[in-house]
Amino acid sequence: MKYLLFFLFIILYFAQFESGTSQTENNYSKRVFTVILDAGHGGKDPGTIGLSGIYEKNIVLPIVLKIKEYLNKYDNQLKVILTRSTDEFIELKERGKIANSNNGDLFVSVHCNYKKTEENDKNGFEIYISDLVKTKDAENYTLNENLKYKPSNSDTLSKEYINFKSVFIPMLQNAFFRKSEYMAGILRNEFAKSTNLQSRGIFQDAFFVLIGASMPSILIECGFLSNKSDEDYLKSDKGQTDIAKAIYKSIIYYKMDFEFENIFSVK
Ligand SMILES: [Zn+2]
């Protein structure tokens, strides 16, 4: 009996050790980088409408499909999830849910801009990350269920989108914010190198689609559909290819850094 207990103890000890080792290996091997690509708008929501009448939703979708194609060609270990792959309407909060349920490591939302009526002509790309202050202010808010969808020429949260009645979505953690900033920097450089578009800078604002995704997140306004030269470029296959390549290269760059950091996080 004494020996039996001894052997049982030995078996349990090594079983525990064994399962501990494989657990670590499994965790590491399962750590496949997942990027969520979000083509803005879609379906009944056209987004902004260009000078020539083209819809934002019909520019950002081919760009996102190209990014996916390039990423899949480059690296079959990388997982690419699209919030939409066709011309369909997906609610903003659904996009965040898709990102979170797929354990995304990076969320990239692609849009086109339009100047406000009172503004002078504007051109160039803008990169947005979530504003932590505005996001914190919004912690007690939620989407007004009756105003979930409102056609708008702006991607920023309008007051109608949020109200005080119920509970808000999880706010971005500081670590996500720092990584989002890092990705925004990479993206700005790649855009400047690979596209004809002017850089207007990196901005912080409260974008619902960014707040809803609990991971590093950026939103790119690829150019202004209210500007003739930007619109011509955004509509062209060359423009869409250049933009897709800039975003694709930025994601690969970010992923390399992610994997480098991961090596040191393995215990
Ligand atoms: Zn948009």
Side-chain angles (χ1 to χ4, degrees):
M1 187 65 182
K2 194 173 154 189
Y3 287 110
L4 191 64
L5 279 173
F6 175 72
F7 281 117
L8 187 62
F9 174 76
I10 294 288
I11 289 164
L12 285 174
Y13 174 79
F14 281 106
Q16 188 189 353
F17 184 75
E18 185 72 20
S19 79
T21 307
S22 59
Q23 184 73 26
T24 308
E25 282 169 1
N26 283 343
N27 282 348
Y28 185 56
S29 61
K30 277 180 191 165
R31 205 73 191 95
V32 174
F33 184 85
T34 302
V35 61
I36 315 293
L37 300 177
D38 175 51
H41 313 277
K44 65 181 179 181
D45 175 10
T48 64
I49 300 168
L51 297 172
S52 68
I54 193 158
Y55 293 162
E56 176 186 357
K57 66 171 185 173
N58 294 334
I59 291 179
V60 294
L61 183 60
I63 291 174
V64 160
L65 294 175
K66 278 178 193 280
I67 302 168
K68 180 178 163 59
E69 183 195 328
Y70 300 150
L71 286 170
N72 285 342
K73 265 188 202 161
Y74 176 84
D75 186 350
N76 58 12
Q77 292 299 305
L78 182 146
K79 200 166 150 196
V80 185
I81 305 287
L82 304 183
T83 55
R84 71 175 179 101
S85 54
T86 58
D87 182 20
E88 59 181 321
F89 176 71
I90 313 267
E91 286 182 22
L92 291 176
K93 66 178 179 183
E94 228 11 79
R95 296 170 193 251
K97 272 189 199 165
I98 292 168
N100 293 338
S101 64
N102 283 286
N103 296 316
D105 295 297
L106 179 67
F107 183 87
V108 179
S109 190
V110 183
H111 289 257
C112 299
N113 230 332
Y114 203 94
K115 75 175 184 68
K116 295 189 178 82
T117 31
E118 67 274 18
E119 290 173 334
N120 294 326
D121 195 20
K122 287 168 131 183
N123 69 299
F125 68 90
E126 295 180 341
I127 298 166
Y128 286 85
I129 52 180
S130 275
D131 184 313
L132 283 185
V133 177
K134 286 184 186 170
T135 307
K136 194 164 174 51
D137 284 347
E139 265 184 308
N140 298 321
Y141 304 170
T142 190
L143 273 188
N144 182 338
E145 289 301 312
N146 299 320
L147 288 165
K148 278 185 292 196
Y149 166 68
K150 178 175 171 284
S152 166
N153 254 355
S154 169
D155 295 316
T156 48
L157 275 180
S158 60
K159 281 181 184 164
E160 293 90 335
Y161 275 94
I162 48 180
N163 71 11
F164 293 85
K165 287 178 187 165
S166 32
V167 191
F168 191 59
I169 23 191
M171 67 171 286
L172 279 182
Q173 291 171 2
N174 200 40
F176 293 156
F177 179 76
R178 297 283 159 232
K179 287 182 176 174
S180 305
E181 259 189 324
Y182 175 66
M183 176 61 184
I186 298 169
L187 196 54
R188 181 177 52 186
N189 291 341
E190 289 303 329
F191 251 73
K193 277 196 288 185
S194 310
T195 75
N196 294 351
L197 298 156
Q198 299 287 323
S199 172
R200 298 178 57 83
I202 296 168
F203 302 90
Q204 292 178 36
D205 214 327
F207 279 83
F208 181 75
V209 73
L210 295 188
I211 299 164
S214 301
M215 64 203 63
S217 311
I218 58 139
L219 185 146
I220 174 113
E221 296 278 9
C222 294
F224 282 79
L225 291 180
S226 49
N227 175 273
K228 175 84 172 69
S229 156
D230 273 16
E231 191 201 28
D232 287 346
Y233 185 64
L234 290 164
K235 278 163 63 180
S236 71
D237 186 58
K238 177 180 175 7
Q240 292 176 8
T241 301
D242 289 349
I243 290 167
K245 283 190 176 160
I247 298 174
Y248 144 74
K249 281 158 70 184
S250 304
I251 292 167
I252 295 297
Y253 194 115
Y254 182 93
K255 176 181 177 270
M256 284 164 70
D257 187 69
F258 171 90
E259 285 169 345
F260 182 74
E261 289 299 324
N262 242 14
I263 293 167
F264 296 103
S265 69
V266 175
K267 303 270 187 312

